[in-house]
Amino acid sequence: MTALDAISIITTKRDGGELSDEQIDWVVHGFTNGVVADEQMSALAMAVVLRGMTRRETARWTAAMIASGQRLDFTGLPRPTVDKHSTGGVGDKITLPLSPLVAACGAAVPQLSGRGLGHTGGTLDKLESIPGWQADISASRMREILADPAIGAVVCAAGADLAPADKRLYALRDVTGTVESVPLIASSIMSKKIAEGTSALVLDVKVGSGAFLKTEDGARELATAMVELGTDAGVRTVALLTAMDTPLGRTAGNALEVAESVEVLAGGGPSDVVELTLTLAREMVALAGLDIDPAEVLADGRAMDHWRSMIRAQGGDPDAALPRARHTEIVRAERDGTMTRLDAMGVGIAAWRLGAGRARQGSVVQAGAGVEMHAKPGDSVIAGQPLFTVHTDTTEAIPGALAALGDAVTIGAEKVAATPLLLDRIGI
Ligand code: URA
């Protein structure tokens, strides 16, 4: 019998030991109920960052976080459930075209999403720029939407009851330098996805300057841990490693990204956004056991029909004009050449400074703010040609954004080879 008190659990992990199932259950439960203090959980999180956790410990930690709240159950729906989760990147609006596309292919897509923090935007912030659209809906309404063959996809805020231990722990990790740990990130993401009740899951694990994980090895380790957790919990799980050195598409910012997503649903849009949407959709429909080509469903307008009904089902008006920022400014190329680098992190910081993201949990974002990119790496440019348009309601934000963009872009003389978007695939 191992000791069930916070200090023994912290010191066991600090000294490189393994925690027993009982210790993990006790400490996660105690933290959720206030028996384990924030400073004790912070110390334990730091010990985990430094010492790691085994596969068994990580699986038990995830199960304990799921057990701290409610678990949704979508069994009995007439269609298979499948979801996607991205570890977050700049200009990553893929959920917007992907969810209605996969629903139009015949699956039910329950997407519990978050709001953005820092340089990566949140899916809910993007959708909230559509007039009338509501992120908060009940579990019963969610089920109705998923069962409706004309809709089939829902993107909404996770209720307070879904893995509450993770919500508290994530807030603590955010302010104690304990985010960067594979077992803690994997258990945090997978506890929410397993509690959400999906039967299958495709993970888009980003690699590069604009991602959480800068190296392919780190991303592969996280992807493997998440695939193992999903598989052990009975969720068919596949992870794709995709590049995030440069932003996805040509926009970063809430309403700007919605407009770009609608272009993709209308059959246009930037080629990288279309490619990643179709790659993820193919994985999702295969995991759902459906024999259908998502490219056809995108091309013939069925995905757009599902988008429109999905937006209406959550109170939004798909025909309403999207909000626009009060001020815009164009940034022009200073010389002729080829764009050899457009750093995702720099563009994310610029969009965030313009008001598209938030610095603190709970602060308000500007729907119209962000960065439009008129050139991407590999494009030839001539002096004076527009490279970016920045959008904001707050003119005082512009100099900081321009400084970030100036550092993010390189115009050189050499040609650049196209880099692949898909780096690896892990799972069944
Ligand atoms: N996203 C999460 O939900 N949790 C983490 O720990 C990191 C990213």
Side-chain angles (χ1 to χ4, degrees):
M1 179 72 186
T2 47
L4 292 182
D5 67 88
I7 298 172
S8 312
I9 293 172
I10 295 164
T11 52
T12 301
K13 187 44 75 185
R14 180 198 66 193
D15 297 339
E18 259 198 58
L19 301 179
S20 67
D21 289 351
E22 294 73 25
Q23 284 178 313
I24 291 172
D25 293 349
W26 184 88
V27 78
V28 172
H29 183 73
F31 175 60
T32 314
N33 296 315
V35 171
V36 173
D38 281 1
E39 54 271 29
Q40 292 176 313
M41 198 53 159
S42 305
L44 180 58
M46 185 58 83
V48 172
V49 169
L50 299 174
R51 294 293 194 171
M53 284 204 280
T54 63
R55 179 172 176 171
R56 178 197 56 78
E57 287 178 296
T58 311
R60 191 69 181 203
W61 188 277
T62 308
M65 294 213 291
I66 295 168
S68 72
Q70 178 202 21
R71 191 167 174 168
L72 299 179
D73 180 5
F74 293 118
T75 49
L77 277 181
R79 282 151 345 118
T81 48
V82 60
D83 190 12
K84 183 253 350 180
H85 177 83
S86 158
T87 56
V90 177
D92 185 0
K93 70 273 298 168
I94 300 295
T95 293
L96 276 58
L98 181 66
S99 305
L101 169 59
V102 174
C105 289
V109 187
Q111 259 272 341
L112 297 184
S113 290
R115 290 191 169 76
L117 191 62
H119 74 283
T120 62
T123 298
L124 299 183
D125 296 321
K126 294 171 200 190
L127 286 166
E128 277 172 344
S129 68
I130 300 172
W133 189 86
Q134 296 293 322
D136 293 311
I137 57 172
S138 67
S140 61
R141 177 70 185 131
M142 204 173 159
R143 195 180 177 85
E144 270 170 28
I145 296 174
L146 291 173
D148 185 334
I151 316 175
V154 61
V155 182
C156 63
D161 249 7
L162 196 103
D166 175 63
K167 279 200 183 68
R168 287 198 59 194
L169 180 56
Y170 192 74
L172 210 56
R173 287 169 55 214
D174 213 23
V175 293
T176 55
T178 52
V179 170
E180 291 85 356
S181 149
V182 165
L184 291 180
I185 298 174
S187 57
S188 167
I189 292 173
M190 293 305 290
S191 63
K192 289 173 285 203
K193 287 288 147 184
I194 296 166
E196 162 196 285
T198 188
S199 322
L201 177 66
V202 177
L203 296 159
D204 180 4
V205 181
K206 301 290 187 195
V207 187
S209 81
F212 242 130
L213 295 155
K214 313 293 177 202
T215 68
E216 206 169 312
D217 283 351
R220 190 170 290 109
E221 198 193 334
L222 176 64
T224 305
M226 292 196 290
V227 168
E228 286 172 357
L229 285 173
T231 308
D232 289 353
V235 178
R236 291 186 301 285
T237 309
V238 165
L240 302 184
L241 262 51
T242 68
M244 184 34 74
D245 285 311
T246 209
L248 263 175
R250 290 184 172 263
T251 56
N254 300 310
L256 292 170
E257 292 191 46
V258 171
E260 189 172 277
S261 303
V262 172
E263 276 175 35
V264 171
L265 288 160
S271 57
D272 56 346
V273 178
V274 176
E275 180 191 336
L276 187 54
T277 301
L278 288 175
T279 302
L280 290 164
R282 288 192 183 104
E283 291 285 351
M284 289 171 77
V285 299
L287 281 186
L290 300 165
D291 183 16
I292 186 163
D293 180 5
E296 278 177 26
V297 178
L298 182 63
D300 68 16
R302 276 179 282 168
M304 176 66 104
D305 294 343
H306 278 255
W307 161 262
R308 295 173 61 78
S309 53
M310 165 184 149
I311 296 304
R312 276 201 211 95
Q314 289 180 239
D317 177 357
D319 298 312
L322 290 166
R324 296 188 65 84
R326 281 199 286 276
H327 310 283
T328 57
E329 191 161 319
I330 295 175
V331 180
R332 296 178 188 277
E334 287 174 1
R335 49 175 290 200
D336 294 353
T338 303
M339 187 181 280
T340 53
R341 182 183 72 102
L342 178 57
D343 178 59
M345 180 62 110
V347 174
I349 290 172
W352 172 66
R353 288 184 179 161
L354 291 164
R358 52 174 70 74
R360 313 177 129 264
Q361 216 107 38
S363 54
V364 177
V365 298
Q366 294 177 28
V371 179
E372 257 181 287
M373 293 157 258
H374 303 299
K376 295 286 296 274
D379 289 350
S380 298
V381 298
I382 50 169
Q385 170 185 332
L387 293 182
F388 308 104
T389 304
V390 297
H391 299 243
T392 186
D393 292 336
T394 38
T395 43
E396 60 276 19
I398 293 178
L402 297 190
L405 288 175
D407 291 343
V409 67
T410 308
I411 307 291
E414 69 274 28
K415 292 264 169 283
V416 285
T419 49
L421 202 49
L422 179 61
L423 305 173
D424 202 356
R425 180 184 184 283
I426 292 158
I428 26 178

